[in-house]
Amino acid sequence: MKRTILALLAAIAAASAPVVAGEAWAQGKYVHANNSGYDNLDPHAIFDVGRAASRINFYDGLYRWVDNPPKMIPWLAESHTASADGKTWTFKLRKGVKFHDGSEFTADDVIYSIERMLAMKKGAASLFLPIIAPGSTKAPDKYTVVFTLKEPSAIFLATVPEILVVNSKLVKKNEKDGDWGQAWLARNVASSGSYKLKRYDPAIGFVGERFKEHFAGWGPKAFDEIEFRTVLETNTRVQGMIKGDFQGTDGYLPYDQILRLKEAKNVQILEAESMRVFYFSMHNGRSLMNDVHFRKALAYAFDYDGFIKDILKGAVARNPSPNPNNLWGAPKDLKGFTYDLEKAKAELAQVKEPLRPITIGTLAGFSETEQAAALLQNGAKKIGIEIKIESAPWPVVQSRMQDRDKNYDMVPLWKSTYYVDPNNWVGELYGSRYIGTRNSSYTKDAELDKWIDEALATNDQEKRRVLYEKAATKVAEQAMGIFVYNTKWYGPYAANIGGIRFSPIGSGQDMRWAYYK
Amino acid sequence: MRRLEMILSRLVWFVPTMAGLVIIVFLISNVIPTDPVRVLLGENATAPQIEAMRIKLGYDQPVWVQLARHFRDIVSGNLGISIYSQRPISEDLISRLPATLELTLAAITLSVALGIPLGVISALKRNSLLDHILRVISVSGLAIAAFWLALLLQFFFAMKLGVAPLNSRIDGFGPTPVTGFMIIDSLLDWDMESLHSALSHIALPALTLALPAAATIVRFTRAGVLDVINSNHVLYQRAMGLPPGLIVWKYVLRNALISTVTQIGLIFGVLVTNAVIVETVFDWPGMGTFAVQSILQSDHKAIIGFTIWIGALIVIVNLLVDITHSFIDPRGTR
Amino acid sequence: MMPGWRRGLGRFASDRASALGLALLLALVVAAVFAPILAPFPGDVADFHTANRLRPPDAVNWLGTDRMGSDLLSRILFGARITITIAVVAVGSAVLVGVPIGLVAGYYGGWPSNLLMRVSDVFLAVPQIVLAIAIAQTLGPSIENVILALSITYWPFWARLVFAETRSLKNEVFIESAIALGASPLRVMTLHVLPNIASAIIVRTSIGMGGTILTAAALGFLGLGAPPPTPEWGRMIAESREFLPEAWWYATVPGVAIFMVVMGFNLLGDGLRDFLDPRIRRGAGVK
């Protein structure tokens, strides 16, 4: 009998024995393990960091973010001019650009794309809905596009790379009942982008095939094929990297995992400063939480050192304000809070209102948020504040944060880079014009609003820097959130890969530059 | 006649059962504190965006209107659009069904292949050391948490020994999809590399699922065989001088098989239950991962769609089992 | 009845498997009740020592430490309380709801019994865990909600069981004669039917506890159980996944704990079946 069992085990082992690793390399194929599902390929429907790869590798924008510190390079557009009042923006387009189907890219495609975004009202549309009216974008000729803004906006240019251009003729052919081709584009690609869609299964991921005629040209050793697979479990991604099943994965793994990957010979870890601030979002618009002394008590009750040095092994840098330290607009000499229970008690003593249990919502699957919440819970308990932790998936947490009444008291999370401008952080998180969307602190502070609005209306960088520094300082000092660290990016890639161009936008998943050494 | 009657009455009850299921799940998913429209539009949505979408999707209507619409949609075969992936739910489910079926069928095969011989041997050698060991194993098989067993197997076979892959169904995208079953498709393509990859990927999840099921089968087979051995019928045959081997295979096994077939319905239920968790651990792109993700993302329509499908699947399997049983063992027709 | 009882009792006591089951459950109860005394670091249920993260078992932390540096042994012991609470309250309330419904439906027959069968069909058409996940997610993660989700999805099972048992008993002579003698339906149900189906209920309760613990742990594993830092066993396994294969003890400890407790309930259930319900003996009477 024992023999039967052994035989069975042997059969299983034999069936699975030589897992061929590294074979992919020979064919110039790159396999990436991603932490979210590619369930929709429509570049105008999705906008989250986790699903950036399909947007970046399949689609082109007028400009493109590359490198770190991030810079914008001309892409489908060659140049632009802005009118003196900051409202009219004219873009000169590149000539002779071909879509995947061989047809030519023109200004009509840009106009169709922006109108499609404004009509669908999904994804990145929220960046443009407040400043561009439908039908206001014009094409004086085949290679010129003119945007006319409703009001001057200092961040418009920084958001232009998010206008990804679809092949309008092809999409129009596949429109159904005026849906702007949404059903079709969810599973198909119509673009001029670096890769053509070769295979797609929403449950698995996608394969892109190099578009050899791409206008930007190619390096001699660029990948012929890129495959992005959904692998939700962190450990599976890490083990797969070590075994050689994957050649890359996301660069914001828990640091314990990075240490493991560093020991693997076939894996390299690329390090880069990033702009992704980890903080506790606080609901400033609710009883008790609107008391500055109560918020300060909490800010003194978080063990910053225990978190950064022990749990994250010192892999990140303390960031005391909402603005990332490595971007202009971050206050220079800001001290920030420390873990000091005596000061916390002193602040708490000044709170007049009766205490109540505080709720923290954590992001399921992101263990760092749970660990941070547990640490704060522990510190708060020592000064007599009870904290309850509720864990939920990101979409759930997010939708609750946008609702003033259903929002948690606090949420530990990251604010990632959607565009490189301090407004992405302190502006969106604390300007009252963003309440109900990205301002989930429900802060409505006349002084902050004045600074933020002023900074949006001018293109004078020096003036803007001062304003954002003032705003960030006030937010930090009044503990409108608990600001912990700015992430470093640790991009795990197979050791024989070169040419990864990391940019905080796109998180190092823009594969057109990379190659096997 | 009674057989036909049974089938007919089951079919008649199928519709109200499914309708009840839809109502229950609809009510459950409607209490979810999450706003599906906000989930759909993401963190950058503005109030007018949200309002417009709410009206478009009918979430501004009273609950009963939504329920009525829902029934209308289901009857017309339209399960709606997933809030999260923004694609038709039936499409997702159809594309994921083969993965789940392949896994559960592999697990059933494995558990029958393990369970019946072991059960027979256990009974024939009752009270031997082997019997005791097998009984300890079969009791343990039912006490082990499926997700933990999955982790154990991953730990030993994938992480320590490195002989099996950690997750997913196949390396890359696999053979040309025809049936959706990776094993069959790679045979159709005569693609041995894919076949090898598919088999090695299915080994661990199928084993995880099969062990508790095999434990059940061992227990039932053992009890069944002992019953038959001690029945007057077999005693009589033995007295007639038939060789014991023949008795075992001809009389004992046939009866043991009958009792196993009856159990398959039950086992299938256990398998589907465990599959939900096991698929999640192994990133198996089947209906189980779809269900867990939909629930975690509060994707109401996807949850309802999945529940209808899985409910229908289980009802149909049970019906098939009853029909098969009525053929194998006409006495027992209920 | 007496000789059967006595025989059963003897068999129960001499059955090593049942004794083992009982011992495992006693250990669980002791762990739960005396957790504050037995735990080497009782504070570690909520306290952290981040400098001590992920220590393998040693002389100080016998079962190692977790991702926050807390002592695993202490957390496992306190976790026993949660496990017992969930199993007892969830199964208990499912029994309290399901048994009366099954009794009434089985006793009266007719449309109530049809209605019951159909309603429970609906519940039983979907794996319990799927409905439980949906309910737990709807209500929000907490122990109370896990218990609620499990009871809501588990009562139909009891209703079906009691229904079937009652139906088959109803035609027995002693029930018929009780009815003929003018006993009220309530009296017949509680004094005549219930005692005779009690053994079936008790046996299924023991086995059902095991199953319920597994389902509850699965909910915890998916993040739908008690919020951190509650030392719920399923959640602990979920937390440990990230640290495999290096921190092998982290996943092993709670997994073994679940295994032993479920094993305890299953063995006890098997033993009770032999003892209380000799009709359906394990191994069909061959010993």
Side-chain angles (χ1 to χ4, degrees):
Chain A
M1 196 48 240
K2 238 179 244 159
R3 241 175 291 142
T4 318
I5 297 175
L6 280 178
L8 262 167
L9 286 177
I12 291 165
S16 50
V19 180
V20 190
E23 198 188 26
W25 302 352
Q27 301 159 7
K29 183 172 180 177
Y30 169 88
V31 182
H32 188 103
N34 195 53
N35 59 359
S36 357
Y38 294 105
D39 29 31
N40 190 320
L41 297 180
D42 190 332
H44 299 150
I46 49 173
F47 188 38
D48 51 328
V49 181
R51 291 183 281 183
S54 61
R55 307 175 74 234
I56 283 195
N57 290 300
F58 288 133
Y59 288 92
D60 289 328
L62 295 181
Y63 285 161
R64 196 174 185 92
W65 287 108
V66 289
D67 297 340
N68 194 35
K71 61 173 193 268
M72 239 170 28
I73 58 172
W75 206 245
L76 287 175
E78 286 176 323
S79 65
H80 73 270
T81 49
S83 65
D85 65 358
K87 282 186 176 175
T88 309
W89 295 74
T90 308
F91 289 82
K92 283 277 167 221
L93 304 182
R94 194 180 291 271
K95 289 173 188 163
V97 174
K98 290 267 184 287
F99 284 117
H100 293 167
D101 65 358
S103 59
E104 202 203 349
F105 156 78
T106 65
D108 289 342
D109 299 301
V110 180
I111 292 177
Y112 180 80
S113 297
I114 187 74
E115 296 302 338
R116 185 170 187 268
M117 290 174 84
L118 296 174
M120 280 167 56
K121 298 187 170 62
K122 289 178 185 169
S126 59
L127 297 172
F128 306 106
L129 281 167
I131 48 173
I132 301 180
S136 68
T137 310
K138 300 283 183 240
D141 64 60
K142 240 175 120 179
Y143 302 107
T144 310
V145 175
V146 180
F147 294 95
T148 311
L149 309 188
K150 295 184 207 162
E151 58 182 37
S153 167
I155 57 169
F156 173 66
L157 190 60
T159 60
V160 161
E162 299 309 330
I163 305 175
L164 296 175
V165 178
V166 298
N167 179 342
S168 62
K169 287 185 278 307
L170 187 55
V171 176
K172 276 183 195 156
K173 235 183 274 171
N174 290 287
E175 279 181 358
K176 226 159 96 201
D177 317 324
D179 74 340
W180 292 89
Q182 287 194 63
W184 186 78
L185 263 192
R187 323 202 54 150
N188 294 281
V189 168
S191 81
S192 58
S194 306
Y195 293 88
K196 296 188 281 189
L197 182 62
K198 186 178 178 194
R199 239 180 132 170
Y200 174 55
D201 182 336
I204 302 175
F206 64 78
V207 178
E209 184 185 10
R210 188 153 62 99
F211 177 47
K212 296 205 178 68
E213 296 82 35
H214 191 271
F215 70 85
W218 289 94
K221 289 188 284 184
F223 300 137
D224 289 327
E225 257 184 37
I226 54 169
E227 178 176 327
F228 279 74
R229 310 188 68 159
T230 306
V231 184
L232 295 176
E233 182 55 34
T234 306
N235 200 16
T236 312
R237 294 200 298 280
V238 170
Q239 296 289 325
M241 285 295 301
I242 294 173
K243 282 174 69 178
D245 295 346
F246 311 129
Q247 282 79 51
T249 187
D250 51 307
Y252 298 116
L253 291 171
Y255 197 65
D256 292 304
Q257 310 297 329
I258 298 295
L259 289 180
R260 292 166 69 185
L261 286 171
K262 278 188 168 166
E263 282 173 25
K265 283 202 185 59
N266 57 342
V267 179
Q268 58 175 332
I269 304 288
L270 306 176
E271 294 185 24
E273 290 270 338
S274 186
M275 297 177 188
R276 189 167 171 260
V277 178
F278 183 78
Y279 74 113
F280 284 86
S281 166
M282 285 172 144
H283 191 325
N284 286 237
R286 192 177 276 165
S287 76
L288 211 52
M289 298 299 293
N290 56 15
D291 184 328
V292 62
H293 297 296
F294 186 74
R295 294 198 306 264
K296 280 186 174 178
L298 286 171
Y300 278 123
F302 184 72
D303 186 355
Y304 301 90
D305 277 356
F307 190 62
I308 292 176
K309 292 209 177 101
D310 294 332
I311 293 182
L312 302 177
K313 307 261 177 26
V316 294
R318 179 95 169 84
N319 198 91
S321 93
N323 286 347
N325 282 343
N326 51 344
L327 179 68
W328 59 276
K332 289 282 160 308
D333 304 310
L334 186 68
K335 278 282 171 299
F337 288 86
T338 50
Y339 181 45
D340 189 333
L341 292 178
E342 288 314 309
K343 283 188 185 156
K345 279 181 197 151
E347 290 291 344
L348 194 59
Q350 300 181 54
V351 174
K352 308 236 161 38
E353 254 182 284
L355 296 185
R356 62 175 171 86
I358 297 299
T359 323
I360 299 188
T362 60
L363 278 48
F366 293 86
S367 56
E368 246 178 76
T369 65
E370 283 175 8
Q371 294 173 58
L375 264 188
L376 182 61
Q377 179 185 48
N378 194 240
K381 197 177 70 184
K382 290 179 180 147
I383 56 169
I385 300 175
E386 190 197 333
I387 288 184
K388 286 190 196 145
I389 298 177
E390 287 180 22
S391 181
W394 168 237
V396 177
V397 174
Q398 176 196 303
S399 85
R400 279 184 65 170
M401 286 174 79
Q402 287 182 302
D403 188 316
R404 181 189 286 269
D405 299 321
K406 288 181 187 158
N407 192 2
Y408 308 92
D409 291 311
M410 302 173 82
V411 176
L413 77 168
W414 295 267
K415 177 69 180 176
S416 302
T417 317
Y418 290 92
Y419 52 91
V420 186
D421 190 285
N423 192 64
N424 182 58
W425 288 272
V426 73
E428 294 191 352
L429 297 178
Y430 295 96
S432 69
R433 60 160 65 205
Y434 297 107
I435 282 183
T437 59
R438 282 153 283 180
N439 175 350
S440 47
S441 67
Y442 296 90
T443 306
K444 194 171 169 52
D445 181 295
E447 203 175 19
L448 282 179
D449 279 348
K450 192 172 137 273
W451 294 334
I452 290 167
D453 291 351
E454 258 180 62
L456 275 177
T458 172
N459 279 321
D460 181 341
Q461 168 105 3
E462 184 51 27
K463 227 168 116 192
R464 297 186 71 216
R465 183 183 65 77
V466 173
L467 288 168
Y468 283 127
E469 281 182 13
K470 278 201 284 192
T473 306
K474 177 166 186 182
V475 164
E477 281 175 349
Q478 303 243 325
M480 294 176 174
I482 302 179
F483 304 97
V484 185
Y485 69 78
N486 183 22
T487 319
K488 262 184 150 177
W489 176 78
Y490 293 91
Y493 291 93
N496 56 351
I497 285 184
I500 296 288
R501 277 177 100 170
F502 168 75
S503 169
I505 299 152
S507 304
Q509 296 184 1
D510 186 358
M511 300 318 302
R512 69 170 351 269
W513 320 105
Y515 53 84
Y516 285 117
K517 287 181 207 159
Chain B
M1 204 48 227
R2 284 182 74 191
R3 187 180 301 146
L4 193 65
E5 209 172 284
M6 174 199 73
I7 296 172
L8 278 178
S9 81
R10 291 293 201 84
L11 288 179
V12 168
W13 277 112
F14 180 76
V15 174
T17 305
M18 286 294 118
L21 198 57
V22 171
I23 294 175
I24 289 177
V25 180
F26 180 84
L27 291 179
I28 291 174
S29 63
N30 248 273
V31 210
I32 293 183
T34 328
D35 184 340
V37 180
R38 283 180 195 273
V39 173
L40 168 67
L41 292 174
E43 73 175 325
N44 297 302
T46 56
Q49 264 177 288
I50 291 170
E51 214 34 58
M53 188 60 69
R54 197 185 303 285
I55 292 167
K56 191 177 159 205
L57 295 179
Y59 282 110
D60 57 328
Q61 305 281 332
V63 173
W64 61 86
V65 177
Q66 290 186 40
L67 182 61
R69 278 187 182 190
H70 211 81
F71 270 117
R72 191 195 62 200
D73 288 352
I74 289 170
V75 170
S76 63
N78 169 15
L79 292 176
I81 305 281
S82 155
I83 286 292
Y84 192 69
S85 74
Q86 311 192 13
R87 284 183 300 103
I89 290 156
S90 339
E91 216 174 272
D92 270 341
L93 286 169
I94 289 171
S95 72
R96 282 161 177 273
L97 182 64
T100 298
L101 282 184
E102 186 172 39
L103 179 60
T104 38
L105 288 179
I108 286 190
T109 314
L110 204 55
S111 58
V112 170
L114 281 172
I116 291 188
L118 291 181
V120 172
I121 292 166
S122 184
L124 294 181
K125 311 228 158 160
R126 65 176 170 280
N127 290 335
S128 67
L129 182 64
L130 182 67
D131 180 30
H132 286 307
I133 293 174
L134 281 174
R135 286 173 68 190
V136 169
I137 293 176
S138 72
V139 175
S140 313
L142 292 172
I144 203 159
F147 59 90
W148 189 59
L149 179 59
L151 287 185
L152 281 187
L153 293 177
Q154 279 188 333
F155 177 79
F156 282 111
F157 291 104
M159 296 179 193
K160 284 288 173 190
L161 300 177
V163 294
L166 260 174
N167 75 324
S168 86
R169 280 181 87 187
I170 199 157
D171 290 315
F173 278 69
T176 338
V178 179
T179 58
F181 289 75
M182 290 288 176
I183 296 175
I184 299 178
D185 284 351
S186 39
L187 281 175
L188 288 178
D189 271 12
W190 205 247
D191 177 351
M192 284 305 124
E193 202 178 309
S194 292
L195 180 66
H196 179 270
S197 176
L199 284 175
S200 66
H201 278 84
I202 206 171
L204 293 187
L207 200 60
T208 311
L209 277 181
L211 280 185
T216 317
I217 295 180
V218 168
R219 281 164 68 109
F220 279 110
T221 311
R222 183 178 184 276
V225 170
L226 285 179
D227 260 350
V228 179
I229 286 180
N230 291 293
S231 71
N232 295 332
H233 180 62
V234 171
L235 283 179
Y236 173 74
Q237 302 278 359
R238 202 178 284 170
M240 293 293 286
L242 275 174
L246 187 67
I247 298 178
V248 167
W249 294 118
K250 200 164 170 198
Y251 297 95
V252 177
L253 206 61
R254 184 170 175 270
N255 286 297
L257 275 176
I258 290 175
S259 70
T260 309
V261 169
T262 327
Q263 295 306 322
I264 289 223
L266 182 90
I267 290 167
F268 186 78
V270 175
L271 278 179
V272 172
T273 300
N274 284 338
V276 172
I277 301 292
V278 172
E279 281 188 6
T280 310
V281 177
F282 285 100
D283 272 327
W284 192 261
M287 294 169 68
T289 37
F290 180 80
V292 171
Q293 279 173 42
S294 312
I295 292 172
L296 292 181
Q297 286 156 347
S298 305
D299 198 337
H300 301 199
K301 288 186 175 168
I303 301 171
I304 296 175
F306 167 80
T307 317
I308 293 169
W309 274 55
I310 207 77
L313 192 64
I314 289 188
V315 170
I316 290 168
V317 167
N318 282 332
L319 185 60
L320 288 178
V321 167
D322 285 349
I323 295 171
T324 320
H325 190 244
S326 72
F327 278 104
I328 304 183
D329 188 13
R331 290 166 300 159
T333 311
R334 279 158 291 173
Chain C
M1 285 297 256
M2 273 317 278
W5 266 77
R6 204 172 294 157
R7 242 187 308 135
L9 192 62
R11 199 164 43 226
F12 184 67
S14 66
D15 184 353
R16 270 169 295 177
S18 317
L20 176 64
L22 207 56
L24 286 171
L25 294 182
L26 274 178
L28 174 73
V29 174
V30 169
V33 174
F34 298 105
I37 300 167
L38 292 173
F41 303 97
D44 276 15
V45 172
D47 272 350
F48 312 126
H49 319 280
T50 46
N52 289 345
R53 298 176 74 228
L54 303 172
R55 289 263 170 88
D58 58 22
V60 183
N61 306 107
W62 294 357
L63 298 181
T65 64
D66 68 4
R67 64 176 183 180
M68 301 303 282
S70 309
D71 180 51
L72 267 179
L73 174 59
S74 309
R75 288 178 64 79
I76 287 291
L77 288 171
F78 277 94
R81 297 182 157 191
I82 299 166
T83 301
I84 287 197
T85 314
I86 293 180
V88 170
V89 181
V91 177
S93 32
V95 168
L96 283 181
V97 172
V99 168
I101 294 181
L103 260 182
V104 172
Y107 184 83
Y108 287 105
W111 69 265
S113 84
N114 260 327
L115 185 69
L116 164 77
M117 296 295 276
R118 258 56 274 179
V119 170
S120 50
D121 266 353
V122 171
F123 277 91
L124 299 173
V126 188
Q128 188 202 1
I129 188 138
V130 173
L131 275 186
I133 293 174
I135 296 174
Q137 160 71 359
T138 304
L139 300 171
S142 78
I143 298 182
E144 293 79 10
N145 292 340
V146 167
I147 292 176
L148 195 59
L150 291 174
S151 346
I152 292 177
T153 50
Y154 204 23
W155 72 265
F157 173 83
W158 297 97
R160 284 293 271 263
L161 175 78
V162 171
F163 172 82
E165 295 277 330
T166 311
R167 278 293 285 274
S168 64
L169 261 184
K170 233 196 116 182
N171 301 323
E172 298 274 329
V173 180
F174 72 100
I175 301 285
E176 282 179 349
S177 54
I179 297 173
L181 287 171
S184 72
L186 185 68
R187 197 181 159 81
V188 176
M189 277 189 263
T190 51
L191 290 184
H192 298 280
V193 179
L194 199 55
N196 280 291
I197 59 171
S199 54
I201 295 176
I202 292 172
V203 169
R204 295 305 308 180
T205 304
S206 182
I207 293 172
M209 293 258 189
T212 300
I213 290 172
L214 285 180
T215 313
L219 291 181
F221 180 75
L222 293 175
L224 296 166
T230 320
E232 196 271 316
W233 295 346
R235 153 173 285 283
M236 287 165 79
I237 295 180
E239 289 172 357
S240 75
R241 263 188 96 177
E242 242 178 75
F243 305 103
L244 279 178
E246 286 84 0
W248 54 269
W249 64 91
Y250 196 171
T252 309
V253 171
V256 169
I258 295 172
F259 174 70
M260 293 203 307
V261 172
V262 177
M263 184 91 155
F265 277 114
N266 286 358
L267 289 176
L268 184 72
D270 280 355
L272 284 173
R273 182 184 354 234
D274 290 357
F275 166 50
L276 292 171
D277 203 356
R279 279 177 304 158
I280 32 164
R281 269 166 317 196
R282 194 172 21 146
V286 187
K287 225 16 242 254

